[in-house]
Amino acid sequence: MSYPENELKRISRHFQIYGEILHAEPLKIGHINETYTATYDQGGMRVRYIHQKLNRNVFKNPVGVMKNMMRVTSHLRKKLEARNVPDLTRRAMVVIPTRAGKPYHENGNRDVWRTFVYIEGVQTHEAVQSPAQAFQAGKAFGEFQSLLVDLPGGRLVETIPDFHNTRQRFDNFLNAVQADGCNRAAGVRAEIEFALKRQKLVRVILDDLAKGKIPERITHNDTKFNNVMLDVTTGEAMCIVDLDTVMPGCALYDFGDMVRTTTSPTLEDELDLSKVTMQMPMFKQLARGYHSTAGQFLNRREKELMAFAGKLISFEIGLRFLTDYLSGDVYFRTHRPDHNRDRCRTQFKLVESIERQENAMQKFVDGL
Ligand code: GN1
Ligand code: MG
């Protein structure tokens, strides 16, 4: 997958970086885009930047993606500036424009590249390690949503339409089972049965959105724990990254994906399913953190469905992995045979764990 280094050097010259690229390494996180850390010599100082190639198979409207990103990052920055927050460029992503003044560079192959300031002194984790980290994640995503409540300039572009449309995700799954294009359905009978039994989950939030009981908000839509950068010394959440799916959405989907990725001690593709479990101490801190920054603007119905949202999004992502497995691994990047099947199993195991604890989880949220 690695982009040849000389190619990357050529691309880097299109951006407003006043330095000379020394070397670049691929960053192996994320299932969709290709990301590189590049080191430059700038006036005798080593400075790093991120270069990222957008996956055009997934993001069909790169202009819309980058329009959203510019609006969102400049708004975040303005709000943080007004609050006199220190360390601004470590707290909101900074997009480096091209020499032509555009937010992205498109090369001859129609590849779309963006460049960001590299944030030093932070780290991300694929799995949560402590309740304090879960608190930080919840607080940071809640703050992210709350800073965007007054974003001027009209509705953001839907960069992936129906991204969290769980009804449609379920239909796509049914179609993939029906087609069984790779003859894989027989090997995942149990997973298919598991999903079929839970079909009714997929309408709950959609129905409330349609009735207006739950409002549309500006949401991140990919609130994985590894999209929160934590300060290496203080552990404080500094910056939310991966802004390609920031668009109109539902706050509960963001909270649900936090539950999916910050409450189990395991990786998303853990093979030992006995280790996959929704840990209550993590959930409590996650919910406390999220409530501390989002509590003021959430309505009653949103608060009532917070535990449910964790179950729903774990189910949704499990369905997406299963659908992709049945379709021959065409969407998510995989690193071993049956990788999407294994990822699906982990998600479904988490769904079961949440089912067992859902009442206790919601009771805790109600008491916040
Ligand atoms: C993808 O690439 P990454 O890891 O940020 C996916 C998310 C899934 C996630 C599952 C655009 O995100 O929706 O929840 O994998 N992003 C897109 O790990 O489909
Ligand atoms: Mg992402």
Side-chain angles (χ1 to χ4, degrees), residues 30-32 163 222 224 242 260 268 317 320-321 331-332:
H31 304 327
I32 309 286
F163 191 54
D222 189 9
K224 269 167 101 162
D242 194 359
R260 178 179 80 85
E268 191 173 62
I317 309 297
R320 289 178 61 196
F321 287 141
Y331 186 92
F332 295 106

Side-chain angles (χ1 to χ4, degrees), residues 74-294:
S74 44
H75 185 70
L76 291 175
R77 181 166 180 138
K78 220 185 278 168
K79 303 257 315 224
L80 295 174
E81 255 166 12
R83 291 185 188 175
N84 275 323
V85 176
D87 256 354
L88 267 184
T89 58
R90 295 179 71 228
R91 289 183 195 270
M93 288 185 79
V94 181
V95 180
I96 306 288
T98 64
R99 295 192 178 182
K102 282 174 55 178
Y104 64 89
H105 167 72
E106 184 168 348
N107 73 5
N109 314 331
R110 291 180 72 248
D111 289 341
V112 168
W113 286 86
R114 307 77 67 77
T115 296
F116 308 105
V117 164
Y118 183 93
I119 304 178
E120 299 286 349
V122 290
Q123 57 190 344
T124 58
H125 302 278
E126 293 299 309
V128 69
Q129 294 155 334
S130 66
Q133 284 186 346
F135 180 88
Q136 286 297 322
K139 181 173 168 237
F141 279 120
E143 164 134 310
F144 183 86
Q145 290 177 343
S146 101
L147 288 171
L148 292 175
V149 161
D150 59 350
L151 180 82
R155 205 166 178 264
L156 287 172
V157 173
E158 282 187 62
T159 57
I160 303 181
D162 290 311
F163 191 54
H164 283 294
N165 184 331
T166 44
R167 170 80 257 169
Q168 195 160 307
R169 294 289 185 191
F170 197 86
D171 290 343
N172 294 345
F173 153 72
L174 292 177
N175 291 337
V177 175
Q178 186 72 39
D180 194 16
C182 301
N183 290 315
R184 288 179 168 180
V188 284
R189 271 288 139 224
E191 288 73 19
I192 293 171
E193 287 308 314
F194 181 97
L196 292 174
K197 271 196 204 130
R198 286 162 181 79
Q199 172 159 5
K200 63 179 189 314
L201 301 183
V202 303
R203 330 178 7 207
V204 177
I205 291 181
L206 289 173
D207 285 353
D208 282 353
L209 281 166
K211 286 184 207 141
K213 288 188 184 172
I214 295 178
E216 177 181 282
R217 301 188 187 280
I218 297 174
T219 51
H220 183 281
N221 293 302
D222 189 9
T223 57
K224 269 167 101 162
F225 184 54
N226 70 5
N227 281 331
V228 187
M229 299 199 141
L230 302 169
D231 187 283
V232 284
T233 45
T234 64
E236 185 195 349
M238 296 301 290
C239 190
I240 298 289
V241 297
D242 194 359
L243 307 183
D244 299 332
T245 51
V246 177
M247 59 180 153
C250 169
L252 284 167
Y253 298 150
D254 276 4
F255 185 72
D257 209 19
M258 292 176 225
V259 175
R260 178 179 80 85
T261 58
T262 62
T263 64
S264 177
T266 48
L267 297 176
E268 191 173 62
D269 55 0
E270 174 64 55
L271 287 167
D272 182 352
L273 294 180
S274 71
K275 292 187 185 151
V276 180
T277 166
M278 199 307 294
Q279 305 170 101
M280 203 51 136
M282 298 292 184
F283 177 78
K284 286 184 173 171
Q285 289 307 310
L286 173 72
R288 277 194 53 228
Y290 182 63
H291 196 266
S292 73
T293 44

